[in-house]
Amino acid sequence: MDIEVRPATVFADVATLVGPKKPTSNVCFCLSYRIGNAENQELRGEERAERVRGLCAEDPPPGVIAYLDDEPVGWAAVHPRRDTSFVTNRRIPHIDDVDVWSLWCIRVRPGHRKQGISHALVDGAVAFARAQGAPAIEAYPVDNAGERVDLTMAYVGTRALFERAGFEKSAETTSRLNGFPRVLMRLDLSD
């Protein structure tokens, strides 16, 4: 099994992975942390899709995609924190003035889970951020102590997933998801 992680520049692949099932929806496409709340609430249907199509054409694009035999099987949202809602998020602290990147969503398509794709996505997001010149990358996973996380809330990842990728806990947060506390994990990329 050869998993390849590439920048998310192909809109159709992003739509396959994080596009809403209902065309008129105002959810997902992984926009809730990427754009302002007012715009996120207003965008529906094709307008929402067009906004994401535009993000895929930007440099850098909105994340990375894992491919298995050229089929899109996983998504990770990664972008400079300064361009996300994490810049004003009161529950996720800023620990310093480093121009850090945020990795906030990991999604693996049903039928492809438990094959190492999440790990490949984290590694690919780190490599992507590093190639873009990021000095560090942060994630905000749940600290679930090995307990099961509901799949609808598992998009933030787990502390263990990020620890395996070399991230270290840098701060507590006041955010909770699925009953679990979220922690700020960071990986220094400056070496």
Side-chain angles (χ1 to χ4, degrees):
M1 180 170 71
D2 190 31
I3 302 166
E4 182 183 359
V5 179
R6 300 181 223 152
T9 57
V10 179
F11 170 76
D13 294 347
V14 173
T16 294
L17 295 163
V18 292
K21 292 184 183 356
K22 185 177 174 187
T24 58
S25 181
N26 73 331
V27 296
C28 215
F29 263 127
C30 206
L31 287 175
S32 61
Y33 292 112
R34 181 61 177 85
I35 61 176
N37 189 50
E39 182 183 9
N40 186 44
Q41 295 300 315
E42 290 170 10
L43 289 176
R44 296 192 185 296
E46 192 54 37
E47 289 177 337
R48 194 166 187 82
E50 284 306 310
R51 181 67 163 98
V52 174
R53 189 182 312 276
L55 291 174
C56 290
E58 289 183 7
D59 184 19
V64 294
I65 295 176
Y67 292 88
L68 184 59
D69 298 325
D70 235 21
E71 177 188 0
V73 295
W75 156 264
V78 59
H79 209 74
R81 180 178 64 193
R82 69 179 177 272
D83 296 334
T84 71
S85 66
F86 291 109
V87 78
T88 57
N89 191 309
R90 294 186 310 260
R91 294 177 182 254
I92 308 285
H94 291 203
I95 57 175
D96 54 34
D97 291 329
V98 172
D99 191 18
V100 68
W101 281 46
S102 294
L103 169 54
W104 67 90
C105 178
I106 299 167
R107 172 131 180 7
V108 176
R109 285 176 69 188
H112 298 282
R113 296 185 179 130
K114 303 217 183 280
Q115 297 177 31
I117 294 169
S118 292
H119 299 280
L121 282 165
V122 171
D123 292 344
V126 167
F128 176 69
R130 179 178 274 127
Q132 295 289 322
I137 186 169
E138 288 181 346
Y140 320 107
V142 291
D143 192 354
N144 62 324
E147 291 185 42
R148 187 178 186 285
V149 179
D150 183 276
L151 281 179
T152 60
M153 297 297 162
Y155 71 94
V156 298
T158 63
R159 179 178 177 169
L161 170 67
F162 287 97
E163 284 177 337
R164 280 187 227 114
F167 285 66
E168 295 179 356
K169 179 182 171 187
S170 298
E172 300 285 338
T173 77
T174 58
S175 179
R176 294 185 71 80
L177 203 59
N178 196 214
F180 300 110
R182 291 174 73 184
V183 291
L184 189 152
M185 306 284 293
R186 186 181 272 194
L187 180 64
D188 183 4
L189 303 177
S190 62
D191 54 359

